[in-house]
Amino acid sequence: MRIAVIGTGYVGLVSGACFSEFGVSVTCVDTDRAKIARLQRGEMPIYEPGLDELVAANTNAGRLSFTSELAPAIEGADAVFIAVGTPSRRGDGHADLSYVFAAAEEVGRALAETRADGYTVVVTKSTVPVGTGREVASILRRVCRRERFDVASNPEFLREGSAIEDFMHPDRVVIGAESDRAQTVMRQLYRPLYLIETPMMFTDIETAELIKYAANAFLATKITFINEIADLCEKVGADVQDVAKGIGLDGRIGRKFLHAGPGFGGSCFPKDCRALVRTAREARANLSIVERVVQVNDARKARMAEKIIAACGGSVAGKTIAVLGLTFKPNTDDMRDAPSLEILPRLTAAGATVRAFDPEGMGEAEKLLPEIVYCGEAYETMKSADVLVLLTEWNEFRALDLARIGQLLAEPLVIDLRNIYQPAEMAAAGLSYVSIGRPPYLGRAGAPASI
Ligand SMILES: NC(=O)c1ccc[n+]([C@@H]2O[C@H](COP(=O)([O-])OP(=O)(O)OC[C@H]3O[C@@H](n4cnc5c(N)ncnc54)[C@H](O)[C@@H]3O)[C@@H](O)[C@H]2O)c1
């Protein structure tokens, strides 16, 4: 089979590489010529574990190629996947569909030029609001004969940081396709997953589109729920780690997405929750839970700066704060909507100097947070710093030398917004320790009024 993937970002590039691994001939297309040139040289434009090896193997095998020319890429393709960005539209939170519609127009024009007997399934893999598939179909119909294509929705559930594993072993594949012909093409493409008994769900297009938003909104709600429980734990002296474990062991609840932290970020949850709220408002449906999740999460990220300032005794003016981790989660270089973008400018505005290190995110962070001093590794970050803030739970921050931290920091206080460490081990190492939803250990400093 032959496919084209439009957009070689986190989703398009991973999907294209994984389909080529399935034995499909894949051409990845992007309007960003610099990105395509890098991919043609074998350089990855993003950090995703295992991606460079997968791309290299399939490029060398002749199954995967990269181009900025859309028309030749879709000539004779069984399916074209649209995997371009759908960021929040400025002002109203609706998904900005301009990239999707621009791609659909280009695809339509190119399909109209291809073989008269050709047939291609045009698949939206981007996360798009309910109704977008129908709009894509009407854009295509304006330029291309009806029998030349079908439209399908195939939302993607991969997570950055484990994207290849997620694509190769998903919990399910959701396909919104309404003609037998389109369903057959999609079934053939995903045959390797069908063979390993991955549940395949065929629905209408609207349902497939909504499944993606409902999934993300539910996960965002779960995180926000445990974050609010963490706040309650701090007030009443309970331990949120144990509360999360205690409820998560209940099979009806499940343990995943119950890690209290600084609030969710990333390229999907914030914008997808906002877009779902917009969809509900336009449909005059009540989605007050998700509306509240967005508000609570936004406020939480801002409040984390206050928590750090309170832990530092009420002021960070003139202090130097070492920060480990800038990306919204580990194993990615993605800085979109990362909590660091909300928290760190507030600390510098309050008079602190921030020194930071992230294993993969600093290239992007330097553009977004120019006021930060960037360091080459974890311990260098702590040199001449007063306190340490752990902001992203990269594995390399999970086993830091606590004695060395104590020697490097002036105070020495560790504020752990990801609950990587145990309060008892920090106390044993002589470090004051403030985390999320657990009683603080304040060593020599004594208990502050409120953290
Ligand atoms: N990032 C994730 O973890 C994730 C997971 C699931 C779903 N999604 C969804 O997948 C979609 C893509 O997300 P992403 O993170 O990969 O985006 P991204 O911003 O990393 O990549 C989008 C790419 O599309 C290219 N592009 C834009 N218009 C184009 C056009 N007309 N023709 C060709 N290329 C074009 C851009 O140059 C860019 O390289 C979004 O809708 C997102 O919500 C993302």
Side-chain angles (χ1 to χ4, degrees):
M1 296 188 84
R2 250 175 58 64
I3 65 166
V5 180
I6 319 283
T8 54
Y10 290 86
V11 165
L13 182 53
V14 171
S15 306
C18 289
F19 275 126
S20 67
E21 182 71 9
F22 290 170
V24 175
S25 174
V26 181
T27 310
C28 288
V29 187
D30 206 292
T31 42
D32 183 339
R33 287 174 185 275
K35 203 178 243 190
I36 291 298
R38 289 186 67 184
L39 284 161
Q40 286 169 338
R41 289 196 299 270
E43 290 171 25
M44 291 305 103
I46 54 167
Y47 174 74
E48 180 61 45
L51 187 61
D52 41 4
E53 293 90 339
L54 190 72
V55 167
N58 284 288
T59 309
N60 293 338
R63 287 190 297 264
L64 179 62
S65 61
F66 302 98
T67 180
S68 325
E69 304 299 321
L70 183 124
I74 71 165
E75 172 81 48
D78 297 288
V80 176
F81 286 80
I82 298 177
V84 300
T86 50
S88 267
R89 197 162 66 188
R90 231 172 242 280
D92 66 3
H94 197 284
D96 177 353
L97 295 172
S98 55
Y99 302 101
V100 173
F101 294 152
E105 270 180 38
E106 282 182 73
V107 169
R109 278 198 300 273
L111 280 180
E113 301 292 313
T114 58
R115 282 196 339 260
D117 60 344
Y119 170 77
T120 302
V121 185
V122 180
V123 189
T124 43
K125 199 164 233 338
S126 300
T127 302
V128 292
V130 175
T132 306
R134 303 276 167 216
E135 284 200 53
V136 166
S138 68
I139 289 170
L140 293 172
R141 266 200 300 275
R142 262 183 252 144
V143 284
C144 181
R145 286 211 328 277
R146 176 73 197 89
E147 58 279 11
R148 302 281 291 276
F149 70 90
D150 270 312
V151 165
S153 164
N154 173 217
E156 182 50 57
F157 299 95
L158 64 77
R159 295 162 299 175
E160 288 172 21
S162 53
I164 294 168
E165 171 63 19
D166 288 349
F167 194 96
M168 297 290 198
H169 297 99
D171 290 338
R172 79 304 206 185
V173 173
V174 173
I175 296 166
E178 293 166 9
S179 79
D180 290 345
R181 208 172 173 192
Q183 286 184 11
T184 303
V185 169
M186 296 303 285
R187 209 174 262 120
Q188 278 175 336
L189 277 174
Y190 278 108
R191 193 172 144 72
L193 297 187
Y194 173 77
L195 293 177
I196 57 168
E197 297 185 6
T198 306
M200 301 271 168
M201 228 185 127
F202 284 88
T203 68
D204 57 64
I205 291 172
E206 282 73 13
T207 304
E209 289 169 338
L210 191 54
I211 285 171
K212 173 64 190 174
Y213 281 101
N216 274 2
F218 188 83
L219 294 171
T221 303
K222 215 172 162 188
I223 294 172
T224 305
F225 175 82
I226 201 67
N227 282 341
E228 287 206 315
I229 293 291
D231 291 347
L232 178 59
C233 286
E234 287 175 17
K235 300 276 187 220
V236 300
D239 182 329
V240 75
Q241 300 288 108
D242 287 339
V243 174
K245 190 173 174 191
I247 63 171
L249 285 169
D250 185 328
R252 294 169 300 178
I253 296 172
R255 292 182 70 169
K256 291 182 180 166
F257 285 78
L258 284 180
H259 301 287
F264 60 78
S267 64
C268 293
F269 287 0
K271 78 163 174 75
D272 290 349
C273 286
R274 282 194 181 92
L276 184 60
V277 165
R278 273 316 296 186
T279 300
R281 281 204 194 138
E282 280 163 19
R284 295 180 188 280
N286 183 0
L287 213 60
S288 54
I289 292 177
V290 185
E291 283 191 31
R292 196 68 196 124
V293 163
V294 172
Q295 290 161 6
V296 168
N297 193 64
D298 285 349
R300 181 173 191 81
K301 286 200 255 182
R303 205 155 44 72
M304 285 298 118
E306 290 163 28
K307 183 178 173 90
I308 294 167
I309 293 168
C312 290
S315 168
V316 290
K319 291 204 173 180
T320 299
I321 302 177
V323 173
L324 294 183
L326 296 167
T327 50
F328 83 97
K329 69 171 179 181
N331 293 326
T332 182
D333 56 353
D334 201 340
M335 286 291 298
R336 286 178 282 186
D337 268 322
S340 61
L341 298 176
E342 284 292 327
I343 298 169
L344 302 191
R346 285 185 160 78
L347 297 179
T348 49
T353 300
V354 174
R355 294 166 63 79
F357 168 69
D358 186 281
E360 295 293 338
M362 294 207 293
E364 201 51 35
E366 279 175 37
K367 297 178 211 157
L368 301 165
L369 295 166
E371 67 277 31
I372 305 302
V373 180
Y374 291 92
C375 303
E377 53 88 42
Y379 298 104
E380 184 197 328
T381 314
M382 290 176 234
K383 275 186 197 149
S384 73
D386 293 291
V387 304
L388 169 64
V389 175
L390 294 164
L391 205 44
T392 315
E393 67 278 32
W394 286 86
N395 270 345
E396 65 182 83
F397 304 149
R398 288 181 184 275
L400 293 169
D401 179 342
L402 301 184
R404 201 165 159 199
I405 294 179
Q407 286 156 11
L408 287 168
L409 295 179
E411 295 227 359
L413 165 66
V414 177
I415 301 156
D416 179 0
L417 300 185
R418 299 289 181 172
N419 289 356
I420 302 176
Y421 289 95
Q422 293 302 326
E425 64 180 327
M426 301 307 261
L431 296 168
S432 296
Y433 183 64
V434 173
S435 57
I436 301 279
R438 299 184 296 184
Y441 171 76
L442 289 149
R444 296 193 298 267
S450 148
I451 290 178

